[in-house]
Amino acid sequence: MPFAKQAVRAKRRFAALHPIYAESFHLLAIVAGAACVAVGLEFFLVPNGLLDGGITGVAILLSNALGWPLGALLAVLNTPFIALAWKYSGWKNAARTTVGVAALSGLTFVFHHSQAVTQELVLALGYGGVLLGIGVGIALRYGGALDGIESLAHVLSEHASMDIDKVILVFNFALFVVAAFVVSPDRAMASFLLFYVVVAPMVSKITGSTSYKTVQIITAEGVQLAQALKSEFKQRVLIGEKTKADGSTISTVTTYIPKLEESLLLERIEAIDPDAFVIVNDATTLIGFTSE
């Protein structure tokens, strides 16, 4: 068996047998992502009058207007959305988001009033945007979030059939229009470019470019896995059979999942069948295959 395949299988078995250690790794990754975002904000963007999108952008606007620490505003403004996540997204997703927001708030509070690494606008946009993209992408990849707008978009997509990316797009467009009047048109336009030319592509590179993922699982535990996924993730699940090269049959399970729940889905699969073969693809269009 190739070393890479052995390593993946060992990781899955370890995660299944030692869930506390596996969860600790996820939380550390989310904190690391929050650290990247905090450095990008306080050392590159905020000192140069630039904004991020989402609730973080609202917090930056209020911080500039009121003089309050950005970290305190991040904690206060994200609290309602964290509560929303606890109610609608499940405790594990909500707990990871709570850790991510708390880490981001604390680190931005620590870094408050830091001197800008550079005052060159292009460098600040480039390096600050890359740090934000990497940080947000890592957090999402490991099942958390660093901004309440992501939790809000996820809830709306599940309960109001609204596209996650469109919710975020509309919110950020309105935010940057307001920033054009409150801060300045040139900084607002620069922040718009920052978010959609640097940050969003970086996040997509790490997590995928669509709001939903299609998942195909080849497993010996087809019935158990299908029942667990349908019960816990409230999505339609199809189960079938495929013939192996030796003539025996094995189950295939097909479903789809919001991007923000991909990490939780993969963890559940690993817990039930560490030897499962899993294929995850971006879903550009979904017609008819809806939740039950």
Side-chain angles (χ1 to χ4, degrees), residues 12 14 21 23 44 61-62 77-78 80 92 97 103 118 126 139 151 156 180 193 216-217 224-225 239 262 288:
R12 287 180 172 183
F14 181 83
Y21 291 106
E23 183 63 22
F44 291 94
L61 281 179
L62 291 177
L77 294 177
N78 278 300
K92 184 175 284 189
T97 298
T118 178
S151 297
L156 290 176
L193 287 176
Q216 185 176 44
I217 310 149
Q224 181 186 357
L225 193 55
I239 184 169
E262 179 187 355

Side-chain angles (χ1 to χ4, degrees), residues 1-40:
M1 182 182 296
F3 175 76
K5 186 180 292 187
Q6 288 181 327
V8 170
R9 184 165 292 180
K11 170 189 171 294
R12 287 180 172 183
R13 291 190 179 278
F14 181 83
L17 294 173
H18 305 282
I20 294 177
Y21 291 106
E23 183 63 22
S24 298
F25 177 79
H26 280 77
L27 294 178
L28 286 173
I30 292 169
V31 171
C36 288
V37 173
V39 171

Side-chain angles (χ1 to χ4, degrees), residues 51-181:
L51 301 175
D52 186 18
I55 303 303
T56 303
V58 176
I60 293 172
L61 281 179
L62 291 177
S63 179
N64 291 337
L66 303 175
W68 294 357
L70 177 59
L73 286 167
L74 285 172
V76 171
L77 294 177
N78 278 300
T79 297
F81 301 100
I82 292 175
L84 201 65
W86 277 99
K87 184 173 182 179
Y88 291 105
S89 299
W91 71 268
K92 184 175 284 189
N93 188 300
R96 291 176 180 177
T97 298
T98 302
V99 170
V101 170
L104 178 60
S105 301
L107 289 169
T108 51
F109 189 85
V110 171
F111 297 149
H112 195 54
H113 295 310
S114 299
Q115 293 295 319
V117 173
T118 178
Q119 294 183 349
E120 290 289 335
L121 185 61
V122 174
L123 294 177
L125 283 169
Y127 284 97
V130 167
L131 284 168
L132 261 64
I134 291 173
V136 172
I138 289 173
L140 292 175
R141 187 69 178 174
Y142 286 94
L146 303 179
D147 194 293
I149 190 63
E150 292 155 0
S151 297
L152 175 62
H154 175 58
V155 171
L156 290 176
S157 72
E158 289 294 288
H159 298 275
S161 299
M162 300 178 69
D163 185 87
I164 294 175
D165 292 334
K166 289 180 180 177
V167 172
I168 295 175
L169 175 65
V170 171
F171 183 92
N172 286 334
F173 181 78
L175 172 65
F176 292 131
V177 168
V178 172
F181 293 96

